[in-house]
């Protein structure tokens, strides 16, 4: 029996991925750009040991995982089994560094860690780019967590998706930035990103304009990163998040992830900027607010967010490395 354990940090998109050109292969409609984090990650052990005899045995945070989670993970393991020409069911133990129920646990670190651990346990010798493609089949954003630092995901143009992979854009070395995460609600999000982006693409009159806007944001973000220009990068990140949410809000039925604390946290960030603090928000498919700032100002940003009505708590995350195997037997 071979087993492998991998860890992956989640990533936060500064230029968002929201919409697919192919649902089955998770091929994105446009590129995206993210920062991989050292916190909010996943640790996953996979062993192709026969599982429970007839099915994969999958545990999440120490307890048997729910049906939705199991079927998504098992479908992913089927792809790995197909590639490696093995048929054994697996035992999977996965732990998120924040409770999954906090609504922060991300499929990005989850599928990146699962891809790396499962490939290794199955004896597949995959390059980082091949691992990125494999992780993408689990979740589009997971393709980015294979790499550390600033990462860009290509939409690709091939029908087979071989060119829809991420690459490491810039390690961020010598640039002390942080993401302060303001948690504004407990519990799972109302509608998952897969369903929400499909509904946006099918019904939002703003979807086409959103997709067309991404390329300019990517180019502005690359320039800002190369120049270590926090204000430039933060401006793009806010714009991209607001445009993504605008396209979702215009869907039918509408998709609105924000709560009153989301808006209050956005106002706090703007007030910080008026006081000369370079802080910029981004928001994913949920009500939490993530704030990009300089490391030296992260404590002050966290304090301001902690003092914001409805913010439950904050976490400060730094740029982190890509997904990797930490144990193999
Ligand atoms: C708002 O990667 O979770 O976080 O590919 O359907 O699994 P699927 O979607 P997912 O979407 C992430 C959406 C986002 C923006 C981003 O991470 O780029």
């Amino acid at each position: 029996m071979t087993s492998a354990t991998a860890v992956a940090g989640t990533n936060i998109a500064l230029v968002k991925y929201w919409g697919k050109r192919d649902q089955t292969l998770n091929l994105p409609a446009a590129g995206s750009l993210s920062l991989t984090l050292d916190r909010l990650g996943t640790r996953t052990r996979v062993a192709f040991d026969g599982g429970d005899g007839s099915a994969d045995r999958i545990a999440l945070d120490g307890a048997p995982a729910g049906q939705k989670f199991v079927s998504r993970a098992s479908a992913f393991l089927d792809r790995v089994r197909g590639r490696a020409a093995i048929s054994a069911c697996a035992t999977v133990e996965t732990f998120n560094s924040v409770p999954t129920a906090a609504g922060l646990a991300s499929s990005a670190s989850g599928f990146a860690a699962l891809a790396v651990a499962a490939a290794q346990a199955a004896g597949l010798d995959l390059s980082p780019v091949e691992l990125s493609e494999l992780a993408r089949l689990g979740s589009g954003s997971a393709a980015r967590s294979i790499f550390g630092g600033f990462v860009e995901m290509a939409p690709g143009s091939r029908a087979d998706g071989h060119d829809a992979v991420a690459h490491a854009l810039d390690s961020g070395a010598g640039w002390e930035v942080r993401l302060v995460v303001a948690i504004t609600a407990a519990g799972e999000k109302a509608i998952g990103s897969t369903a929400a982006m499909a509904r946006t693409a099918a019904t939002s009159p703003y979807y086409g304009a959103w997709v067309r806007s991404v390329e300019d944001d990517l180019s502005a973000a690359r320039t800002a990163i190369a120049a270590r220009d926090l204000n430039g990068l933060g401006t793009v990140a806010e714009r991209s998040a607001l445009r993504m949410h605008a396209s979702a809000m215009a869907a039918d039925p509408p998709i609105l992830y924000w709560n009153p604390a989301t808006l209050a946290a956005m106002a706090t960030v703007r007030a910080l900027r008026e006081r000369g603090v370079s802080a910029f928000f981004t928001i994913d498919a949920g009500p939490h607010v993530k704030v990009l700032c300089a490391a030296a100002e992260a404590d002050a940003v966290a304090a301001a967010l902690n003092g914001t009505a409805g913010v439950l708590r904050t976490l400060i995350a730094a740029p982190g490395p890509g997904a990797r195997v930490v144990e193999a037997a």
Side-chain angles (χ1 to χ4, degrees):
M1 177 195 107
T2 58
S3 76
T5 303
V7 295
T10 195
N11 70 77
I12 300 299
L14 302 172
V15 178
K16 300 294 186 197
Y17 150 53
W18 195 253
K20 304 182 192 196
R21 64 181 173 90
D22 181 296
Q23 308 254 5
T24 320
L25 295 176
N26 274 340
L27 303 180
S32 57
L33 191 153
S34 59
L35 182 62
T36 300
L37 302 183
D38 64 340
R39 299 185 61 177
L40 308 176
T42 304
R43 180 184 185 93
T44 297
R45 179 178 176 276
V46 176
F48 289 99
D49 57 359
D52 72 4
S54 58
D56 295 317
R57 181 171 44 204
I58 300 179
L60 173 61
D61 294 330
Q67 196 41 52
K68 233 169 81 187
F69 189 97
V70 169
S71 51
R72 210 168 158 188
S74 271
F76 184 81
L77 291 169
D78 284 343
R79 293 183 184 272
V80 175
R81 281 186 280 256
R83 275 249 207 137
I86 56 175
S87 56
C89 291
T91 297
V92 176
E93 288 156 351
T94 190
F95 293 91
N96 285 316
S97 64
V98 288
T100 310
L104 266 177
S106 106
S107 57
S109 58
F111 277 105
L114 185 61
V116 171
Q120 172 84 24
L124 293 172
D125 186 20
L126 301 185
S127 69
V129 164
E130 289 169 318
L131 286 168
S132 178
E133 185 182 356
L134 178 62
R136 189 205 71 224
L137 295 166
S139 184
S141 54
R144 299 185 308 237
S145 273
I146 297 297
F147 301 98
F150 292 100
V151 176
E152 184 170 349
M153 175 79 191
S157 56
R158 291 172 57 138
D160 63 13
H162 288 331
D163 54 355
V165 290
H167 72 273
L169 182 68
D170 190 313
S171 69
W175 198 15
E176 289 295 323
V177 295
R178 295 290 181 270
L179 267 176
V180 182
V181 180
I183 298 166
T184 65
E188 300 268 11
K189 56 194 170 204
I191 169 169
S193 22
T194 309
M197 53 177 97
R199 190 193 296 169
T200 304
T203 68
S204 172
Y206 301 164
Y207 178 70
W210 150 253
V211 170
R212 283 191 299 278
S213 76
V214 175
E215 194 50 53
D216 281 353
D217 283 348
L218 285 171
S219 147
R222 279 184 219 115
T223 304
I225 290 167
R228 301 292 191 250
D229 171 8
L230 183 57
N231 289 337
L233 183 59
T235 301
V236 177
E238 280 197 3
R239 181 167 81 207
S240 177
L242 290 172
R243 286 178 178 173
M244 175 203 119
H245 283 272
S247 74
M249 282 179 210
D252 186 17
I255 299 157
L256 181 55
Y257 285 111
W258 304 350
N259 63 26
T262 314
L263 284 163
M266 289 156 76
T268 294
V269 171
R270 289 202 189 95
L272 281 165
R273 274 213 299 276
E274 271 160 27
R275 300 206 320 256
V277 178
S278 288
F280 302 86
F281 62 77
T282 183
I283 306 162
D284 291 304
H288 312 300
V289 178
K290 292 123 189 183
V291 182
L292 180 70
C293 63
E297 293 181 322
D299 286 337
V301 169
L305 290 166
N306 279 320
T308 300
V311 171
L312 304 177
R313 63 190 175 105
T314 55
L315 291 162
I316 300 177
R324 62 220 173 267
V325 172
V326 290
E327 246 176 70

